[in-house]
Amino acid sequence: MTDRVAIVGVGATPPRPVSADRSYREMVFEAASRAYADAGLTAADVDSVVSVAEDFHEGTSITDEYVPDQLGAVLRPVHTVAADGLGGVAAAVALIRSGIADRVVVEAHAKASNVRRPGQVLALALDPIYERLPGISPHYVAGMEMRRYLHETGTPEQAVAMVVVKNRRHALAHPAAAFGALLDPEAVRASLPVCEPLREMHISPAADGAVVLVLASAEAAAHSPRPVWIRGIGWASDTPWLATRGWAQASYAALAAEMAYRMAGMSDPAREIRFAEVDDTYAYKELQHLEAVRLAAPGEAARMVLEGETRRGGRLPVNPSGGSLGLGHCYDASALYRVVEAVRQIRGEAGPVQVAGATVGLVVSWRGIPTQSGGVLVLGAA
């Protein structure tokens, strides 16, 4: 017996700005059906289920009670992880490595189009006495962080605009992307200001979607046709308090990466990792995250994007799928969409967005405003 864990099945619905023709339960069922077919399994082969959800995004509570039927998980262990998607993957890895389960399903979904005023919901995550400012968009936290990141690293706003240009151009080739576009940096910089220097086009557009992953032990994965191996995983939280947190660096991503690299036995990630799917909820976060996980030296991520190194054909393709800027931001499911894209890259099944030589990939997640929490996942073909 080994303690290796693989992703043996992935299934997702195409992210859509509006999905009036189906409920989130129907989307979860569709994603689960695709994942089980991809793994060559049925729901009866699954030992346990992890649902990833921040209840407040959906406007319901105890949301894991809403998913067993769609996953075939009735009378099975099901629990909710209130984190980003990699938190759910970490929980599944722990269940398998501890010997509790051989096959675990991880699920997340978002029905953003059901939420009429998402800004008001997001504001509820802020401290009501000191941080929730009446009449002020909660995106102000991202605006302040972006300002400090640009100041301390010398990153020009042009580099942030180029992240938007790159990711939305990448998405044009993705058959499931809803937000692909040919843009120029000036169009991004001319978009409406939200909280200076943050602009409207710096923010990933919300989308509806559902993702299901099937994870398995090495012994169980031996019967699967296309396993992708989890070489390392890490997660960390810094303080969310605006008064005491750092503003320029993604400390949580740096700590999570060190944990994941240590587990993977990886000493020089910039040389070993062939591509990355990185949280880009806000465009500047892609640059900040690349530096935190040591795929770029401090202050170097801007140069990389401006010189085209992070394009799909560049030295280190970043978000070759289009990321959340190009595919849409599916709240709690966003990180799992990044995992699905990474799995398809490593299998050589990414079609028009395939990266040549994509044998080792990195996924970086962030839980969103106002948190300083996130995860890092290293995936490999062997």
Side-chain angles (χ1 to χ4, degrees):
M1 179 176 177
T2 75
D3 60 0
R4 300 186 77 199
V5 177
I7 298 175
V8 298
V10 296
T13 62
R16 289 288 178 266
V18 178
S19 50
D21 60 328
R22 61 184 69 183
S23 69
Y24 72 82
R25 287 169 169 154
E26 291 170 316
M27 293 193 300
V28 172
F29 177 79
E30 180 181 337
S33 299
R34 293 182 178 190
Y36 293 144
D38 186 56
L41 301 171
T42 70
D45 299 311
V46 173
D47 301 311
S48 190
V49 171
V50 179
S51 177
V52 179
E54 304 272 14
D55 285 1
F56 86 107
H57 281 153
E58 298 297 321
T60 54
S61 296
I62 321 178
T63 53
D64 57 2
E65 293 293 331
Y66 291 81
V67 298
D69 292 294
Q70 292 72 41
L71 296 166
V74 173
L75 300 179
R76 312 281 178 82
V78 179
H79 73 277
T80 295
V81 171
D84 67 68
L86 293 194
V89 174
V93 169
L95 284 169
I96 292 170
R97 293 187 68 170
S98 64
I100 293 174
D102 272 331
R103 297 186 183 93
V104 180
V105 159
V106 181
E107 174 274 343
H109 62 270
K111 197 72 159 62
S113 64
N114 280 357
V115 183
R116 192 166 184 180
R117 293 182 174 83
Q120 293 182 5
V121 175
L122 184 59
L124 294 175
L126 295 164
D127 181 275
I129 304 299
Y130 299 106
E131 298 173 352
R132 193 183 306 163
L133 307 179
I136 303 297
S137 164
H139 292 303
Y140 84 86
V141 178
M144 290 171 62
E145 186 178 77
M146 177 177 170
R147 173 77 73 191
R148 192 64 190 176
Y149 169 74
L150 298 184
H151 173 74
E152 288 200 13
T153 62
T155 297
E157 288 187 41
Q158 179 85 350
V160 180
M162 281 304 298
V163 171
V164 180
V165 171
K166 169 182 69 71
N167 288 359
R168 295 193 65 174
R169 180 186 291 265
H170 283 172
L172 274 178
H174 196 299
F179 299 98
L182 282 177
L183 301 171
D184 61 58
E186 288 310 311
V188 178
R189 297 179 67 178
S191 63
L192 292 174
V194 177
C195 297
E196 290 278 9
L198 188 73
R199 295 185 173 276
E200 193 174 62
M201 292 185 73
H202 294 154
I203 304 173
S204 293
D208 299 346
V211 183
V212 172
L213 309 180
V214 183
L215 278 66
S217 65
E219 290 73 20
H223 306 290
S224 297
R226 292 162 294 174
V228 169
W229 297 95
I230 293 176
R231 293 183 52 184
I233 188 165
W235 63 98
S237 294
D238 198 347
T239 176
W241 287 103
L242 303 188
T244 58
R245 55 167 280 181
W247 285 93
Q249 310 303 325
S251 55
Y252 56 91
L255 294 168
E258 290 309 309
M259 185 187 298
Y261 295 154
R262 186 165 56 250
M263 180 177 171
M266 189 173 278
S267 59
D268 191 353
R271 290 175 60 88
E272 297 176 65
I273 290 168
R274 304 302 185 192
F275 72 97
E277 286 283 336
V278 177
D279 175 85
D280 60 342
T281 303
Y282 303 99
Y284 76 92
K285 295 296 285 186
E286 177 176 304
L287 304 174
Q288 188 187 50
H289 285 147
L290 287 176
E291 294 172 5
V293 301
R294 293 196 285 136
L295 294 185
E300 281 294 302
R303 180 194 61 75
M304 289 172 63
V305 71
L306 289 172
E307 295 183 1
E309 291 187 17
T310 56
R311 292 177 186 165
R312 195 154 49 231
R315 181 182 64 81
L316 178 69
V318 177
N319 288 324
S321 64
S324 290
L325 286 163
L327 285 165
H329 185 254
C330 295
Y331 291 93
D332 307 325
S334 291
L336 296 190
Y337 272 101
R338 304 279 73 74
V339 176
V340 169
E341 295 297 332
V343 167
R344 289 174 175 161
Q345 287 285 349
I346 291 169
R347 287 176 172 178
E349 298 175 347
V353 300
Q354 182 67 49
V355 171
T359 53
V360 179
L362 192 76
V363 177
V364 181
S365 67
W366 174 50
R367 196 178 178 187
I369 285 176
T371 79
Q372 287 280 78
S373 301
V376 171
L377 177 68
V378 182
L379 295 172

